[in-house]
Amino acid sequence: MNSRRDFLQKLGAAAIPLSFLPKLGSANTTAFADERYEGPVLRVAILGLGSYATRVADAMQACTKAKLVGVISGTASKITAWQSKYNIPAKNCYDYSTFDNIKNNPDIDAVYVITPNSLHHDFVLRTAKAGKHAICEKPMAVNAKEGQAMVEACKKANVKLLVGYRMHFEPKTLEIVRMRKAGELGQIMFFQGLCGFKIGDPTQWRLNRQLAGGGAMMDIGIYAINGSRYMVGEEPIWVTAQETKTDTVKFKEGVDETIQFQLGFPSGAVATCLSTYNMNNLDRFFLNGQQGWAEMQPSTGYGPIKGRTNKGELTHPHVTHQTVQMDEMAGIILEGKQPIVPVDGEEGVKDLKIIDGIYMAVKSGKKVDLKL
Ligand code: NAD
């Protein structure tokens, strides 16, 4: 018998409390957890095998409740490489023309769409039509109308639709959310979200309006939008926004370089945010209440996230965001678990309604009312 299992059985026989167990597995807590876990596992196929998909696939190797079992790609050589790297059987591999046959594959439960933004809509619709649960990267779509259509298609097909909001499972983020909900920060008055980086290669899809649906706002500004909602704990009712463009060659018509925007909330709280593709070192959240404050920097990168509040440093250990996200999403899909901060399609549509409002406010120069 496997010595670890043998050891566990002896522990069980000796009735040592379970709370003691994790400390023992410090060298390989994943294998340790795997052997104890006997519940349902979400079998996932990833669609679009680019850089973020690779990060997700690597992180999933440490998951307990989710398992990478299939791939969908337009590039045959990538399929072969992923098959050998992640041990994926040929029967679970598809290209974009054979993808719809996934409906006949009982060994795949969910498809995780990780393509350029404007392709999310069609691929999620096809996923729903195939009767598979859909996980979709942010931004869920390029406008709220498309996002809403995705929500309805998944509802009609009776499958779940989740958006890859990995920060919704990040421990320091959740601690601030807990403090705010418990009233420890007092009445929330102000949020600031600064999100950006200096983008390189001018030929990449992120700077192509057809594929990206916009510019920095779709890609990185969405973290400030989404963050303002889970940090303040309300839905905004108005937005104002101003755009600055220093390079009209790199950032063509419809591709935003830098946008500042302000959100107003029903309680009177306000948020002021910056989204940019033209500044580095911009990854900061600040939340201010009548009795306390919280700040995070970095606030939404892959981590480690750093944060402190008026009570001191947040010391929660770093976790690989995508590992926790996929395990938690498996719990949501298979066991009906309710996340502390929602990650469903409706949540994605709310962010897209705000993005639609921001672009309208930039164009008109006027305050835009939001109805989320
Ligand atoms: P990427 O360019 O590295 O990968 C995109 C993949 O889509 C490639 O494998 C490409 O071959 C494929 N693809 C399919 N059809 C395509 C087409 N018509 N044109 C171009 N590529 C096509 O991009 P990425 O950084 O992996 O981003 C993919 C998605 O993941 C985006 O929606 C992005 O916003 C999201 N993302 C999320 C996070 C996060 O932290 N949640 C981080 C990075 C990216």
Side-chain angles (χ1 to χ4, degrees):
M1 183 189 282
N2 171 319
S3 61
R4 189 184 289 273
R5 189 167 290 152
D6 195 23
F7 176 57
L8 281 176
Q9 279 198 352
K10 281 183 191 146
L11 277 181
I16 291 174
L18 273 179
S19 56
F20 174 62
L21 290 177
K23 289 181 194 142
L24 293 170
S26 58
N28 187 352
T29 47
T30 305
F32 198 71
D34 280 345
E35 291 198 15
R36 286 191 302 161
Y37 182 71
E38 285 174 1
V41 170
L42 185 73
R43 298 161 305 169
V44 179
I46 291 185
L47 187 156
L49 309 181
S51 64
Y52 192 63
T54 304
R55 184 178 286 275
V56 170
D58 288 345
M60 282 184 74
Q61 303 310 303
C63 281
T64 304
K65 294 182 166 186
K67 186 168 164 44
L68 173 63
V69 298
V71 289
I72 305 103
S73 170
T75 313
S77 58
K78 280 195 208 165
I79 294 183
T80 316
W82 276 55
Q83 275 193 267
S84 58
K85 185 173 177 194
Y86 301 112
N87 196 21
I88 292 167
K91 69 173 184 59
N92 289 352
C93 297
Y94 300 86
D95 63 28
Y96 298 134
S97 67
T98 59
F99 172 45
D100 304 301
N101 296 336
I102 204 168
K103 68 173 183 288
N104 302 317
N105 190 331
D107 300 328
I108 294 173
D109 305 309
V111 174
Y112 193 164
V113 176
I114 318 188
T115 59
N117 309 337
S118 68
L119 310 177
H120 295 174
H121 169 264
D122 284 8
F123 281 129
V124 165
L125 258 49
R126 286 171 71 180
T127 299
K129 215 167 169 194
K132 304 296 179 187
H133 300 294
I135 303 172
C136 178
E137 255 320 308
K138 45 59 57 178
M140 174 189 171
V142 295
N143 56 53
K145 192 173 165 216
E146 284 196 354
Q148 191 56 42
M150 291 156 76
V151 167
E152 278 157 26
C154 289
K155 225 175 246 170
K156 195 171 151 205
N158 201 21
V159 295
K160 293 231 164 76
L161 168 58
L162 305 181
V163 183
Y165 288 129
R166 61 187 160 77
M167 299 314 296
H168 293 201
F169 305 104
E170 196 282 317
K172 294 187 182 86
T173 303
L174 291 180
E175 171 59 9
I176 296 173
V177 169
R178 186 203 64 74
M179 288 176 73
R180 186 256 301 152
K181 280 187 178 171
E184 293 173 26
L185 304 178
Q187 190 189 335
I188 299 300
M189 305 297 290
F190 178 75
F191 173 79
Q192 182 189 44
L194 309 177
C195 296
F197 62 95
K198 212 169 168 71
I199 199 161
D201 178 11
T203 65
Q204 64 187 286
W205 68 259
R206 281 182 166 78
L207 296 172
N208 172 337
R209 182 174 157 65
Q210 285 318 78
L211 287 169
M217 186 60 66
M218 286 286 172
D219 191 34
I220 191 78
I222 191 169
Y223 285 97
I225 293 170
N226 189 245
S228 70
R229 294 177 46 239
Y230 62 68
M231 285 290 170
V232 173
E234 295 178 61
E235 302 299 1
I237 50 174
W238 58 258
V239 60
T240 49
Q242 309 80 37
E243 181 173 11
T244 316
K245 199 174 276 201
T246 63
D247 185 343
T248 53
V249 177
K250 190 167 184 178
F251 305 101
K252 298 192 174 57
E253 181 67 29
V255 179
D256 48 286
E257 176 189 321
T258 301
I259 293 179
Q260 299 179 65
F261 61 96
Q262 303 77 36
L263 299 167
F265 296 86
S267 65
V270 287
T272 177
C273 302
L274 181 68
S275 157
T276 183
Y277 264 160
N278 201 20
M279 282 176 237
N280 279 333
N281 309 311
L282 212 57
D283 183 6
R284 182 171 194 275
F285 281 3
F286 176 69
L287 181 68
N288 204 22
Q290 294 282 24
Q291 285 161 36
W293 52 267
E295 68 177 9
M296 310 178 82
Q297 185 173 2
S299 56
T300 65
Y302 298 137
I305 300 299
K306 287 198 178 139
R308 60 192 184 112
T309 73
N310 53 298
K311 291 184 177 159
E313 202 78 24
L314 295 173
T315 55
H316 306 66
H318 171 66
V319 292
T320 301
H321 297 175
Q322 296 80 5
T323 306
V324 179
Q325 173 202 323
M326 292 309 291
D327 268 341
E328 290 298 318
M329 285 187 165
I332 293 168
I333 291 174
L334 299 175
E335 300 163 48
K337 266 184 90 172
Q338 293 295 322
I340 294 165
V341 184
V343 287
D344 53 26
E346 283 85 355
E347 179 78 3
V349 172
K350 286 179 183 172
D351 287 338
L352 291 173
K353 284 184 176 171
I354 298 173
I355 292 182
D356 287 351
I358 288 171
Y359 287 146
M360 277 169 63
V362 163
K363 222 173 184 173
S364 67
K366 295 198 173 121
K367 190 187 225 184
V368 171
D369 289 333
L370 295 170
K371 285 189 186 67
L372 304 193

